[in-house]
Amino acid sequence: MEEDLKQCVLCPRKCSANRMAHNGYCGESAALRVARASLHMWEEPCISGTRGSGTVFFSGCSLKCVYCQNKDIAFGNKGRELTSIQLSELFLLLQNKGAVNINLVTPTHFVLQIAEAIKMAKRRGLTIPIVYNTSGFENVTSLQKLEGLIDIYLSDLKYYSEEISIKYSNAQNYFKIAKNAIDEMVRQIGKPVFEDTLMKRGIIIRHMVLPGYTKDSKAVIKYLYESYGDDIYISIMNQYTPPIDLEGYPEIKRRVTPREYEKVIDYAIELGIQNAFIQEGETSKESFIPDFDNGVYLDEI
């Protein structure tokens, strides 16, 4: 593991940072950090269930979108250092608290430590599904390190247009990179499997509609349906909330209008998509932005 982190290329940035000595583009060193661990009720219904998804929010991010709702941990300096052993204990604690799954949020840059922790936890009695909750900005080689360990991939496909991905995420080739990553997820997981209303195995691809970019949203949704059909679920989200400090991007300093969201949903219906989640009513709420000053179960580790 140390050798991989001395010249880190775990994410598509391939910054080659020696994370044993200093931070990479993700903002993190070799020390795994967790900002929050809790039972989370605001994922898709088949992920949260009635008891909550056992979410583990990792510090740092390899994508760092300008409108990030988790900016406190993606850009900031929040989080507690844990060893892989402590992370495995956290997984087991969440299972004991009633979590229906373990939900790894923004895990890309800690994939090596996470894989080790999952193996440890499974040896000690972890039985609930593992959810890999990602921006979609993933190297296939990194995902391959997780084969056999992940049950559900919960991934974004944020953009179709490279112009937009560069503008808001400084990510050249985002679509191509995410497309290849999703191909690998589908190869690993296959078709969805449910037990009652809970997903036990499968892939959900999220797309959050941005204000003024319904054309790009339609292109994303068309690609997903034409490429994967009913082998995946598509989650079309309207919860975009512009951060208070969003400067230099006046065109997205507003919420998505009901009409914009309806256009995207209507298009999905026209395509014939059935395996989909949509958000109804006012979902751009504070509840989607966790309180990262409150680690909840972190203090029990």
Side-chain angles (χ1 to χ4, degrees):
M1 184 188 301
E2 287 188 8
E3 290 304 312
D4 287 328
L5 293 173
K6 283 181 179 177
Q7 192 172 10
C8 187
V9 291
L10 287 174
C11 87
R13 301 287 183 191
K14 296 185 178 180
C15 68
S16 297
N18 179 1
R19 289 174 58 193
M20 302 300 295
H22 55 82
N23 295 351
Y25 184 98
C26 59
E28 297 299 314
S29 69
L32 180 146
R33 288 200 305 158
V34 172
R36 180 180 169 89
S38 64
L39 297 179
H40 194 57
M41 298 302 302
W42 296 289
E43 306 288 26
E44 286 75 7
C46 65
I47 299 295
S48 290
T50 58
R51 301 200 308 269
S53 178
T55 51
V56 180
F57 288 85
F58 294 95
S59 304
C61 181
S62 58
L63 194 54
K64 296 186 177 179
C65 307
V66 299
Y67 51 81
C68 179
Q69 69 178 18
N70 295 343
K71 191 170 286 188
D72 281 356
I73 65 167
F75 292 79
N77 192 33
K78 292 185 181 294
R80 176 184 160 190
E81 289 189 11
L82 297 181
T83 64
S84 294
I85 293 173
Q86 289 174 315
L87 182 60
S88 71
E89 291 172 351
L90 183 58
F91 294 162
L92 291 166
L93 174 64
L94 288 165
Q95 178 174 264
N96 291 337
K97 295 289 185 180
V100 297
N101 49 54
I102 299 298
N103 189 345
L104 309 169
V105 184
T106 321
T108 310
H109 44 295
F110 292 127
V111 67
L112 301 176
Q113 298 97 317
I114 288 170
E116 188 175 45
I118 293 172
K119 292 173 186 175
M120 289 180 187
K122 285 181 177 291
R123 287 196 295 266
R124 296 175 58 197
L126 185 70
T127 58
I128 55 178
I130 307 292
V131 181
Y132 193 83
N133 189 335
T134 169
S135 68
F137 196 57
E138 298 277 354
N139 279 340
V140 169
T141 52
S142 292
L143 293 176
Q144 288 171 343
K145 298 178 189 299
L146 296 165
E147 186 163 4
L149 299 176
I150 302 301
D151 302 287
I152 299 167
Y153 280 106
L154 180 58
S155 174
D156 294 342
L157 185 55
K158 293 180 180 291
Y159 317 105
Y160 189 88
S161 162
E162 184 170 54
E163 179 183 355
I164 303 171
S165 68
I166 291 173
K167 185 173 186 178
Y168 298 128
S169 299
N170 187 31
Q172 192 172 14
N173 292 327
Y174 170 87
F175 176 77
K176 181 179 179 181
I177 289 166
K179 175 178 74 70
N180 291 339
I182 294 169
D183 283 346
E184 173 62 17
M185 295 172 194
V186 171
R187 185 194 69 79
Q188 287 186 23
I189 301 298
K191 296 182 182 297
V193 176
F194 287 82
E195 186 176 294
D196 296 324
T197 58
L198 290 176
M199 179 176 275
K200 294 296 183 178
R201 189 170 179 84
I203 297 166
I204 300 174
I205 305 299
R206 288 172 163 172
H207 175 73
M208 184 169 68
V209 180
L210 293 176
Y213 289 106
T214 57
K215 183 178 179 180
D216 197 68
S217 291
K218 290 178 181 179
V220 166
I221 290 165
K222 182 180 181 182
Y223 168 77
L224 288 171
Y225 188 59
E226 289 184 347
S227 300
Y228 308 110
D230 293 330
D231 287 348
I232 67 167
Y233 277 73
I234 303 173
S235 182
I236 307 171
M237 307 167 77
N238 72 346
Q239 68 189 58
Y240 174 78
T241 306
I244 295 173
D245 59 349
L246 184 65
E247 301 297 335
Y249 305 93
E251 71 281 4
I252 58 169
K253 205 169 182 178
R254 65 173 177 84
R255 293 181 178 177
V256 172
T257 67
R259 181 59 189 139
E260 285 175 317
Y261 187 62
E262 286 169 9
K263 282 183 179 179
V264 178
I265 297 303
D266 288 346
Y267 182 71
I269 293 171
E270 289 172 12
L271 288 175
I273 296 174
Q274 294 186 345
N275 288 357
F277 297 97
I278 64 172
Q279 293 180 318
E280 297 179 337
E282 181 55 66
T283 52
S284 298
K285 297 178 181 178
E286 187 179 353
S287 60
F288 284 93
I289 304 175
D291 175 9
F292 295 112
D293 290 323
N294 179 5
V296 189
Y297 297 132
L298 272 179
D299 292 339
E300 298 186 33
I301 295 299

